[in-house]
Structure formats: C-alpha cells, structure tokens
Amino acid sequence: MRNLSAQNRADIALIVVAIVWGATFLPMANALKTNGVFVMLFCRFFISAIFMGFVALKFTKKFDKKSVIYGVILGVVLFLSFTTQTYALKLTFSSSVAFITGLNAVFTPFIALAFFGQKVVVYAFIGAFLSAAGLYFLTGSELGFGAGEALSVVCALGFALHIIFTGVLVRRCELYWMVSAQFAAVAALCFVAAQIFEPRGVVPVLDEAFFVAVAVTSVFATVLAFFVQTAAQRYTTPVKTSLIFTFEPVSAGIVGYFVGGEILSGVQIAGAGLILFGIVVSEVGSYYKNKRSREADL
C-alpha cells in the first residue's frame, strides 16, 4: 500500500466501501419487517452523528461553519436518497433494489452536465440505453415495475447527486465537520418524519434483526464508509467513484442469494447483468474518452 499513489489508495478504499454497502441491504430488509423506515434511519444516523461529532472535536481545532452548511446540504440529499431506498426494501427484493440503485453511475454524467456543464460522451448514452434495457428485464417478469422499483430509480438519482456534490464540496471545507453535520441532518429529518409517519415515533422494536442492522449500518456502512468515501473523493473523480460503486449491487446480490435465499429468475439475472454492463460501458468508455482528449490537448 505504501508504494501506491493517493489515487490508487482512494480507489481501493472505495471498493471496500461498495462491498460493505452491498452487504447492508439484506439486514436492513430484515429489520424493516418489524420496524418503520424512519425508525431505522434515525437510529442509524443518530448513532453515526454522535460518533462523528466526537471524532470532529478530537481532530479539529475549531468549529467550521461553512463545513456544517455544506454537510447539511449533503444531508438533505442523503435523507431523500435513503428514504426512497429504505421504503423500496420493504416492497421488493433487496438484490433488485441494489441493482437498480447502481444506476446512479449512469445518471452521474448527465447530472454533472445539468449542474456543472460537463460534457457527456457517447459512451454515457450507450451505457444508459443498455442499463435501461437491463432495468426492463430485471423488473418486467414476475415482479413487474412496481412501487419498490420506482423508488429505487429515484434513489439512484439521489445518490448520483450526492456523489457529484460530495466531490465538489469536500475540496472547499473541513472533512470531519462536514461528515458530522451530514449525519446530524439526516437524523434530524428522520426524527421529524418519524413523529409524523411512525406510530411509535423513533422507538424501535428491539429484536435481533434490529440490532444486527443497526450495528452493521451505523458503524461500518455509515461512519466508516461515508468518511472513507468523502476522504477518498479528494483524490478521485465522481465518474470513477460511480464506476467503483458497481461493486455494491454485486455484493448485495451475492448476500441476498447465499444468505437471504432470494431467487431471481433467469430473465431478471440477465437484466441485472445488463445493468452492470451498461454501467461499465458508460464509465470506462467515458474515462478513456476524456483521457484521450486530455492527451490531445498536451
């Protein structure tokens, strides 16, 4: 690891993050059988916010207002993304949600065009077409394109926004306070939503599935994973980050099959594979196209 560049270390760290995130889909889906969406999200991000708050106090010398503002902005986007994803997990297979969420990699270049005027190369359009076809096959058999699948698409758009904004904002502020404020914002929004939509407020059902999900998601998939993602995006691009995160649905699919007993039909598996292929075509093609353009300018 010492001989690797900062960018290579960042890429390896993001691969680990993607695998960890993929492994959380099934325990969250199990916990949602007895607990509400906002209860689970509140517990996850409240614990994470407290932990990161102590980390920020220990490793930073002063309070940074700008970092907190940026963190709140990212927290709002993250709240909307996780809310739609978590509701989707109540409505369809965790592996299906994961593969559809992976479409954020396809959406990323188009959102970057809309917000920052970045060019969209032809490979992005090819990848979008292939992924759309894969989405049709993944959701067009026994399950159909239901509410769970639709929410997963909205979630993918939200995560694409989050990746792009993280890549821009992390270079303008202090890392620890931004991550802490992001978690706190999500927890606060979940607390308010729980008072409105959950009959027990934020009081959880303390069963085994709850403790497993909170332990896995709050410590590993939130505190460590989002901190690593935010730090790593200082050294790599949003497009490459999206490509690396294709490991997330692969990890979720493996866990869902071998641990959760989730069985997709042959058509659905082909659709999932087509989504991944579209993502790879979009991101790898865009990467090499941009690389050739930079070399031509030299």
Side-chain angles (χ1 to χ4, degrees), residues 61-89:
K61 296 181 180 180
K62 63 178 181 178
F63 179 79
D64 183 18
K65 181 179 178 180
K66 183 173 67 173
S67 299
V68 171
I69 293 173
Y70 289 160
V72 170
I73 293 171
L74 290 174
V76 172
V77 177
L78 202 60
F79 167 76
L80 296 173
S81 303
F82 270 108
T83 297
T84 52
Q85 184 186 71
T86 311
Y87 268 111
L89 286 169

Side-chain angles (χ1 to χ4, degrees), residues 175-244:
L175 176 63
Y176 294 101
W177 281 116
M178 190 181 83
V179 176
S180 300
Q182 183 176 189
F183 294 164
V186 177
L189 290 169
C190 289
F191 179 84
V192 173
Q195 305 310 311
I196 300 172
F197 297 107
E198 306 288 358
R200 291 162 53 94
V202 294
V203 180
V205 176
L206 300 177
D207 54 12
E208 181 182 355
F210 169 80
F211 286 112
V212 170
V214 168
V216 171
T217 58
S218 62
V219 177
F220 297 103
T222 305
V223 173
L224 295 178
F226 276 103
F227 180 80
V228 169
Q229 179 205 348
T230 307
Q233 282 198 244
R234 285 179 168 174
Y235 305 103
T236 191
T237 66
V239 171
K240 183 181 281 190
T241 300
S242 297
L243 175 60
I244 291 171

